[in-house]
Amino acid sequence: MRWDRAVLFKLATNERLEQIVKELPGGEEQAWRAASRYVAGRTRDEALQVAEAQQALGHGVSIDLFGELSIDAADADRVVDEYLELAKLTTAWLSLDLSHLAVDVDPAGAADRVVRIAEALPAGRRLQIGAEDIGRTDRIRDCVLTVAGRGLGDQLGATVQANLKRSPDDIDALAEAGVQVRLVKGAYVEPAGAHPYGEATDVAYLRLAHQLAERGADWSLATHDGRLREAVLLALGNVPVEQLLGIRPEVLAQLHEREIATRVYVPYGPAWFRYWLRRVAESRGA
């Protein structure tokens, strides 16, 4: 991994940096101008407008409200209320990080909150659970499987990171539960339990893609690596492709013309700063 990418990932978790930038004269607006390429807006209405525009282009959408590291039940319940509103106001899929639902301090409560959101979605729509750092992977998988075990597997998606050495086992468990899998390379800089960034992760990605296909799983490619994407499409056929808002939209248009299903991740909310830094970090070799 290039050193500048690792440094940027470190900065992306630094609350003090965000505070300093926002306190500088004009700092927040300058940062927002750069971030707005990747972020649908600061409000729900702005996100819905962007989602509708993407749908008009023929792309599916998955909407995510920024937020991580909640340890307060009342705050987590407010997040659920926002997602229930989204479920009513859009036909898009929804995306969510479980740390936003206080999974670190109340795993059972987080599962109950996921159930509430999933039950609000009509057939054909899913709540996609995001990947987080490796220290949360067990809690995330357990929560997803718990909710799937309540008869909601076909309302859920889970994100699997190819760089994690545990991912083959996770894929087996998720596919068995009927959970859709969004396969990503993995954006977190992990201390252990992960393949090095580069060739080893790319090979792991290809192996996991074939594993998903062999299991007959419902899954999607979620990578901006064009060579890797095309290798999978050539080998396995027209697998749905997911991309982040603002990154190579021309590729989505080309895939749509090839009649390959596409979906755009559309994030919004006031906590946009560190997400933007992660996107910048990923651009350094992602």
Side-chain angles (χ1 to χ4, degrees):
M1 176 180 293
R2 289 172 48 171
W3 70 268
D4 56 341
R5 186 172 184 265
V7 169
L8 282 167
F9 271 116
K10 188 76 172 178
L11 292 174
T13 61
N14 189 313
E15 294 183 22
R16 179 59 181 156
L17 174 65
E18 180 177 1
Q19 181 181 352
I20 290 171
V21 170
K22 290 184 175 181
E23 288 175 351
L24 290 172
E28 181 170 0
E29 285 309 308
Q30 289 186 38
W32 171 250
R33 281 197 293 272
S36 59
R37 169 183 172 184
Y38 308 105
V39 180
R42 293 160 167 153
T43 68
R44 182 202 306 154
D45 287 344
E46 290 171 333
L48 291 173
Q49 290 176 13
V50 172
E52 290 173 3
Q54 292 295 326
Q55 289 172 321
L57 294 173
H59 308 310
V61 169
S62 192
I63 302 177
D64 190 2
L65 170 66
F66 288 128
E68 298 176 355
L69 304 178
S70 173
I71 58 173
D72 180 75
D75 181 55
D77 288 338
R78 285 191 289 271
V79 172
V80 172
D81 291 341
E82 177 72 6
Y83 274 86
L84 294 178
E85 285 299 308
L86 286 170
K88 292 187 293 186
L89 294 172
T90 179
T91 59
W93 290 15
L94 304 179
S95 287
L96 172 69
D97 285 349
L98 289 183
S99 57
H100 206 177
L101 296 185
V103 72
D104 289 347
V105 295
D106 184 11
D112 290 340
R113 294 179 182 101
V114 171
V115 167
R116 289 181 60 198
I117 300 170
E119 287 181 337
L121 296 174
R125 292 171 63 191
R126 290 186 185 263
L127 174 63
Q128 293 181 295
I129 303 301
E132 303 188 50
D133 60 272
I134 195 170
R136 290 195 178 91
T137 305
D138 276 333
R139 287 192 292 275
I140 292 170
R141 188 180 86 157
D142 290 348
C143 182
V144 169
L145 294 178
T146 295
V147 176
R150 299 184 192 179
L152 292 168
D154 59 355
Q155 304 293 102
L156 293 178
T159 306
V160 173
Q161 301 177 91
N163 68 324
L164 299 188
K165 295 178 180 179
R166 58 174 290 160
S167 289
D169 290 338
D170 290 339
I171 278 178
D172 283 340
L174 294 166
E176 183 69 24
V179 175
Q180 186 261 359
V181 172
R182 173 169 54 188
L183 183 61
V184 303
K185 280 192 179 185
Y188 291 89
V189 180
E190 303 291 2
H195 300 292
Y197 187 79
E199 182 178 355
T201 290
D202 292 350
V203 170
Y205 194 104
L206 289 170
R207 287 175 173 163
L208 293 171
H210 281 268
Q211 180 182 345
L212 285 159
E214 289 166 3
R215 289 197 61 102
D218 184 355
W219 67 289
S220 60
L221 287 164
T223 177
H224 299 99
D225 184 327
R227 289 177 296 181
L228 191 58
R229 181 188 64 245
E230 291 303 317
V232 174
L233 292 174
L234 182 62
L236 301 177
N238 287 359
V239 180
V241 175
E242 301 195 32
Q243 290 196 177
L244 302 174
L245 180 69
I247 298 182
R248 302 186 67 189
E250 72 280 1
V251 171
L252 285 172
Q254 293 163 5
L255 291 168
H256 182 64
E257 290 176 359
R258 292 163 58 187
E259 299 184 344
I260 295 171
T262 52
R263 187 170 304 279
V264 183
Y265 173 75
V266 174
Y268 78 99
W272 52 268
F273 184 86
R274 279 171 276 172
Y275 173 84
W276 164 57
L277 280 186
R278 287 200 294 270
R279 298 291 76 77
V280 174
E282 288 177 7
S283 71
R284 302 300 194 265

